[in-house]
Amino acid sequence: MAKPIQMPALSPTMKEGKLVKWLKKVGDKVSSGDAIAEVETDKSNLEVEAYDDGVLLQIIVAEGDLAVVGAPIAYVGAKGEKVEAGNTPAAPAAAPAKTEAPAQPVAVPAAPAPAAAPASGGDGIPVLMPALSPTMKEGKVVKWLKKVGDKISSGEAIAEIETDKSNLEVEAYDDGTLAKILVDADQLAQVGAPIAYITGKGGKAAASAPAPAAAPAPAAPAAAPQKSEAPAAPRPASAEGRVRASPLARKMASSQGLDLSAVHGSGPLGRVVKRDIEAALAQGPSAAKKAPEASAASARPAAPGSRPAPKTLPISTMRKVIAQRMSEVKPGVPHFYLTVDVEMDAAMKIREEAKSLESKVSVNDIIVKAVAVALRRSPKMNVSLQGNNILQFATADVGIAVAIEDGLITPIIKDADQKGLQAISTEARELAERARKKALKPEEYTGGSITVSNLGMYGIDQFVAVINPPQAAIIAVGAVADKAVVRDGQLAVRKILTVTLSGDHRVIDGATGAEYLRELKNLLEHPMRLLF
Amino acid sequence: MAELMYREALNQALAEEMERDANVFLIGEEVGRYNGAFKVSQGLLDKFGSARIIDAPISELGFTGMAAGAAMVGLRPVVEMMTWNFAILAMDQIVNNAAKLRHMSGGQLRCPIVFRGPGGAGGRLSSQHSQALEANYAHFPGLKVIAPATPADAKGLLKAAIRDENPVVMIEGERLYAVKGEVPEGEHVVPIGKADVKREGKDVSIITWSRMYYFCEEAAQQLEKEGISVEILDLRTLRPLDEEAILATVRKTNRAVVVEEGWALAGVGASVVDIIQSKAFDELDAPVLRVTGLDVNMSYAANLENATQPDAAKIAAAVKKVLYREGA
């Protein structure tokens, strides 16, 4: 009876494999142990062996096609035997992975034959974006090491590429002259796409301009334009940062000084059209204004009412892969947690002093202030992953979780780093009160980059909070309690507050979170620093 | 103002101009004793006699050439084509002689002549009798081409055409002859080269002419119920095109749909789109769309004839598309 050959699981993470090449054809004799096909897994290309002697009766999966692990890719049997329709594969005894064929040395990508490359000959020999790691789908040109007109020898590094793992150099495989650069520094190109042309033997000088290699918005199916009339959700730009906009929208944006990339496009394929510009303008003069320059970000925002918009950071290939992998492990917002004990003695003293000045300042107000000041000092924490972009906020706006009758809401104290404790206290109390009455306006509880959730009043020592997306972090604080600690080898009693940071691991790394917590701890333990 | 049919408005224009200027005469098949194939010349033979209302044999090339010759020597002929489909036979006289005499003679000869007759779908007359051929004539320098939609415009434009010193091609909608509308009495001249905003709106401009105007109006009324405000620009003159009016409406609404009965390729609408994209690119919020006749010969069957042409539903769909409402 005909026996199926199944797509083997050649690595623990492999779910499907691509049939690269059939090494036998239908009718060929096959002996057990013969390599019959080459399969591309998520890690490397490996050969599939036959486990039975016979004749290759039928090929199920064509070259270039994918098959899930365990699915039959061919049938082997006696010569002339018919493969029964609906032949169920035998128990998918996962074929042992062949472990020869180690991954290629990373700096020596398999150079696709120039003949197969697009537009070869006309413009010279194409230099293709190499696959420098098994997971790499596109790479960013970090820097060109040669310029147009430079002589190039085979083996010479001509450009530096950022992959999802690291920065590596691309070498030339031909002698010649660098004739044309197709992908500029900081631009992305898909693996296999030409990034430059070298004129060498047979290659003519570049004449026609070939289409730019950067794939048109491949990776990003423009974060499905959400139906919600959300206020100007910044639209994810395509991979190379091109913004689709109607000519009219472009003209309007330019005359109004709007940053088109910060305007949500409601037209086909996310095209920004007139109504989007009008909506952005209606949101306030600065809603979608050009993001302040990096240097300007440290300067304080100007007049009240005009709030600086977040800056859209280019997302690195590594960050992209991290975001994707973290979501696989923890779908939704993949959290990580960091906990630290903070000595609150000095902070509590401030509270006492405030009380004597008939000023009502709570521990939470001090924490809010410290969280905001620390945020200003850790711009990497002041971010949000939205679609394919990382937004970096220019302001430190802190949400405070308020339990209300039927749930929880987080009003925002804007620019909390800039406000005095009294102001924070007043505002927090006022917001909490209106929250309980359900009288908050949407702009009072949306936005913000971090939230403080405090269960201290319930006597909770320590807990772990769930991030309030699209924010990327939340701070869970328990009660301040006298605890025994060791100081200079002696037991001492200190007022201890346990703070737990939950971070969005797609955009914030543990070390970034740890640095931030260290700063927060420092500020709370030496509250005088809040003044600097 | 009297309410007249399109054919009556044309008749009035002819009669008034013939009374005003003794050099004006009408020639064509069945224009005299039969009172016109579409009754446009009703009663004119009785009024002006057979010297000025001339029945011609079936010989388009011949009587058109004769009329062009008459125009060269000072008369002002109006040539009625039984349909523009038959005028194809006289194409050489129209485009090679009438259109070019002034140029070829270095300005010494003029050819004040009007070629007029019905065009477009005829209502189950099949492919040789149901063609919107205006793009053919609009192509030639030396000709003016007019295509009025309403009785008032029909009268006013015909009067302007008869008074024009150049050859004018007037395409009348074959299925418009019975359409009624208010027509100013007496001296009512609509200048050639001026488009008309037939309906004011703010969301999208539909640019059209002749019979298609009525489908556009129907679409606009439907769309209005959905909260879409449509402006309709009736070009009226296809050569020269009223660029100013085209650009003005696009600058107002930022979106345009061009509706034309004829075929898409090399159609007049293509030139309208060209004007818009080259001169108002920065005013556009969406690509300009065209709704045209299908790229096939006209069917005989009534349902297929209708399916071949633009209609209110097709126009409304295009409008929604440029507004990014549906099907975008």
Side-chain angles (χ1 to χ4, degrees):
Chain A
M1 186 187 133
K3 290 204 172 139
I5 297 177
Q6 292 156 337
M7 174 61 72
L10 297 166
S11 80
T13 51
M14 176 173 168
K15 293 198 182 86
E16 56 181 16
K18 184 197 207 169
L19 209 297
V20 178
K21 201 161 97 187
W22 281 102
L23 306 173
K24 300 275 180 188
K25 56 185 191 298
V26 172
D28 279 2
K29 267 184 84 166
V30 178
S31 310
S32 165
D34 273 0
I36 62 162
E38 201 180 311
V39 170
E40 181 186 299
T41 75
D42 56 349
K43 304 259 192 287
S44 58
N45 284 11
L46 294 167
E47 285 174 355
V48 179
E49 291 174 19
Y51 293 101
D52 299 278
D53 297 338
V55 170
L56 187 60
L57 293 173
Q58 189 182 354
I59 285 176
I60 310 285
V61 177
E63 289 186 357
D65 285 354
L66 291 168
V68 294
V69 166
I73 58 172
Y75 284 95
V76 174
K79 198 172 173 190
E81 190 181 349
K82 283 245 159 49
V83 178
E84 291 164 39
N87 208 341
T88 42
K98 287 193 68 170
T99 48
E100 98 250 79
Q104 294 161 331
V106 96
V108 189
S120 95
D123 294 303
I125 302 154
V127 178
L128 307 173
M129 173 60 71
L132 297 166
S133 80
T135 50
M136 176 173 168
K137 293 200 180 82
E138 56 181 13
K140 186 200 265 180
V141 174
V142 177
K143 197 161 83 184
W144 281 100
L145 306 172
K146 297 280 175 186
K147 56 185 190 305
V148 171
D150 280 2
K151 283 249 177 310
I152 289 166
S153 314
S154 165
E156 225 179 331
I158 60 168
E160 204 179 308
I161 304 289
E162 180 188 294
T163 74
D164 52 351
K165 305 256 190 287
S166 59
N167 286 9
L168 294 167
E169 286 174 353
V170 181
E171 291 172 21
Y173 295 98
D174 297 274
D175 296 339
T177 305
L178 185 58
K180 184 177 276 191
I181 287 176
L182 300 175
V183 179
D184 290 333
D186 277 339
Q187 299 289 306
L188 292 168
Q190 284 204 315
V191 165
I195 58 172
Y197 282 107
I198 295 173
T199 51
K201 339 152 203 154
K204 291 186 302 205
S208 63
Q226 303 197 336
K227 267 282 177 226
S228 72
E229 295 295 310
R235 62 178 291 293
S238 57
E240 64 277 51
R242 188 174 111 75
V243 176
R244 282 180 209 274
S246 76
L248 177 68
R250 274 185 201 284
K251 192 178 84 166
M252 290 171 76
S254 125
S255 70
Q256 298 286 335
L258 283 185
D259 181 4
L260 267 181
S261 63
V263 178
H264 168 81
S266 68
L269 302 169
R271 183 185 298 156
V272 176
V273 298
K274 183 182 171 188
R275 64 181 175 225
D276 303 323
I277 303 279
E278 286 169 345
L281 291 173
Q283 285 207 346
S286 64
K289 281 266 194 249
K290 281 191 186 306
E293 294 299 315
S295 56
S298 53
R300 243 349 263 161
S306 88
R307 299 181 52 73
K311 182 161 100 185
T312 304
L313 300 181
I315 192 159
S316 71
T317 316
M318 177 186 270
R319 179 54 65 193
K320 223 187 240 178
V321 172
I322 288 176
Q324 180 202 329
R325 293 185 52 112
M326 290 299 139
S327 310
E328 276 167 22
V329 181
K330 251 188 146 164
V333 178
H335 290 54
F336 71 93
Y337 312 100
L338 302 170
T339 301
V340 71
D341 280 349
V342 179
E343 286 186 24
M344 292 292 281
D345 302 73
M348 297 306 274
K349 214 167 274 169
I350 286 188
R351 203 177 151 237
E352 294 307 314
E353 282 170 24
K355 218 181 260 175
S356 70
L357 296 169
E358 295 188 353
S359 183
K360 279 188 196 165
V361 170
S362 70
V363 178
N364 205 55
D365 299 331
I366 300 171
I367 294 169
V368 166
K369 168 92 179 170
V371 160
V373 172
L375 205 54
R376 291 292 299 184
R377 295 178 187 176
S378 314
K380 282 164 133 183
M381 281 291 295
N382 201 359
V383 293
S384 166
L385 183 67
Q386 296 189 11
N388 247 357
N389 285 329
I390 299 175
L391 292 193
Q392 185 171 63
F393 300 105
T395 52
D397 305 333
V398 178
I400 41 171
V402 177
I404 57 176
E405 203 186 325
D406 49 1
L408 183 91
I409 195 160
T410 54
I412 312 283
I413 301 191
K414 288 178 180 155
D415 295 320
D417 59 320
Q418 299 297 303
K419 291 180 176 155
L421 289 173
Q422 180 63 56
I424 290 176
S425 172
T426 311
E427 195 175 329
R429 215 160 325 129
E430 199 257 341
L431 285 169
E433 201 173 304
R434 283 200 290 121
R436 281 182 205 106
K437 288 187 196 149
K438 297 195 174 168
L440 289 176
K441 288 179 252 162
E443 62 265 30
E444 289 177 314
Y445 57 80
T446 51
S449 27
I450 199 164
T451 293
V452 172
S453 178
N454 191 336
L455 292 180
M457 61 288 246
Y458 299 101
I460 298 295
D461 278 343
Q462 149 182 16
F463 70 104
V464 163
V466 175
I467 294 169
N468 180 22
Q471 295 180 359
I474 189 164
I475 302 277
V477 295
V480 177
D482 287 341
K483 284 193 181 152
V485 297
V486 178
R487 291 289 173 267
D488 303 324
Q490 301 288 317
L491 266 184
V493 175
R494 295 281 190 272
K495 298 195 179 304
I496 297 296
L497 171 73
T498 305
V499 174
T500 300
L501 166 82
S502 309
D504 178 347
H505 212 338
R506 294 172 303 171
V507 281
I508 299 176
D509 295 324
T512 307
E515 256 173 53
Y516 172 81
L517 267 194
R518 184 168 62 188
E519 181 67 30
L520 179 64
K521 176 180 161 84
N522 209 323
L523 286 166
L524 287 172
E525 290 185 345
H526 307 281
M528 178 77 92
R529 292 183 190 222
L530 289 172
L531 302 175
F532 297 99
Chain B
M1 237 186 298
E3 184 158 87
L4 297 181
M5 280 191 278
Y6 192 92
R7 65 161 61 91
E8 291 169 338
L10 289 168
N11 178 279
Q12 202 175 75
L14 278 169
E16 284 176 18
E17 290 306 298
M18 288 179 78
E19 265 162 23
R20 191 187 58 79
D21 183 348
N23 288 323
V24 178
F25 72 92
L26 176 70
I27 187 168
E29 291 151 7
E30 297 179 352
V31 296
R33 283 206 303 166
Y34 190 68
N35 286 311
F38 293 92
K39 302 289 174 273
V40 169
S41 54
Q42 180 99 44
L44 294 183
L45 177 65
D46 293 344
K47 218 172 195 170
F48 298 101
S50 58
R52 294 182 68 194
I53 302 293
I54 303 166
D55 271 323
I58 300 175
S59 57
E60 276 79 9
L61 184 69
F63 68 74
T64 302
M66 190 213 80
M72 281 163 65
V73 295
L75 297 181
R76 302 187 86 90
V78 176
V79 179
E80 178 171 309
M81 301 294 177
M82 193 177 278
T83 99
W84 274 100
N85 302 284
F86 302 164
I88 293 169
L89 291 161
M91 193 88 169
D92 184 57
Q93 289 297 352
I94 299 171
V95 308
N96 260 338
N97 288 331
K100 291 165 188 168
L101 273 170
R102 200 162 183 171
H103 172 257
M104 299 288 281
S105 68
Q108 295 179 73
L109 295 173
R110 286 172 307 143
C111 196
I113 187 168
V114 179
F115 306 102
R116 48 156 292 272
R124 307 196 69 189
L125 292 178
S126 194
S127 58
Q128 288 186 340
H129 294 69
S130 287
Q131 307 182 81
L133 295 172
E134 46 265 47
N136 290 264
Y137 301 95
H139 193 61
F140 290 99
L143 291 178
K144 293 183 180 180
V145 181
I146 54 178
T150 62
D153 286 345
K155 176 181 175 183
L157 278 167
L158 179 53
K159 285 171 80 85
I162 291 170
R163 297 177 192 189
D164 203 285
E165 293 302 316
N166 298 288
V168 177
V169 167
M170 181 171 186
I171 315 255
E172 298 153 11
E174 185 162 330
R175 296 178 80 177
L176 290 182
Y177 284 125
V179 168
K180 281 188 173 173
E182 292 197 331
V183 179
E185 274 153 51
E187 187 70 356
H188 166 64
V189 181
V190 172
I192 292 175
K194 287 283 171 216
D196 183 38
V197 176
K198 285 273 193 295
R199 182 190 181 91
E200 297 260 3
K202 59 182 175 52
D203 293 334
V204 59
S205 301
I206 300 181
I207 301 170
T208 192
W209 62 92
S210 195
R211 179 172 167 242
M212 292 297 116
Y213 158 68
Y214 296 93
F215 293 119
C216 297
E217 183 61 37
E218 190 186 334
Q221 283 170 17
Q222 285 171 18
L223 290 163
E224 192 171 35
K225 290 180 197 141
E226 297 173 44
I228 297 170
S229 163
V230 174
E231 176 148 310
I232 299 178
L233 182 72
D234 175 9
L235 288 175
R236 301 195 294 195
T237 300
L238 305 180
R239 183 187 185 96
L241 282 168
D242 189 351
E243 284 197 11
E244 265 176 43
I246 293 168
L247 296 175
T249 187
V250 170
R251 288 189 177 121
K252 180 177 173 188
T253 65
N254 309 118
R255 295 167 195 88
V257 171
V258 184
V259 180
E260 145 170 44
E261 182 175 350
W263 299 293
L265 187 74
V268 174
S271 288
V272 175
V273 177
D274 169 57
I275 289 167
I276 295 170
Q277 69 83 21
S278 61
K279 298 189 177 166
F281 182 69
D282 286 324
E283 306 294 333
L284 288 177
D285 206 23
V288 181
L289 292 185
R290 294 176 67 199
V291 181
T292 68
L294 297 190
D295 196 11
V296 292
N297 293 322
M298 183 68 83
S299 290
Y300 173 78
N303 56 346
L304 293 180
E305 179 179 300
N306 291 338
T308 309
Q309 295 179 78
D311 59 24
K314 290 177 190 171
I315 294 163
V319 164
K320 286 181 183 173
K321 203 164 176 188
V322 301
L323 282 165
Y324 305 125
R325 293 279 182 112
E326 275 170 28

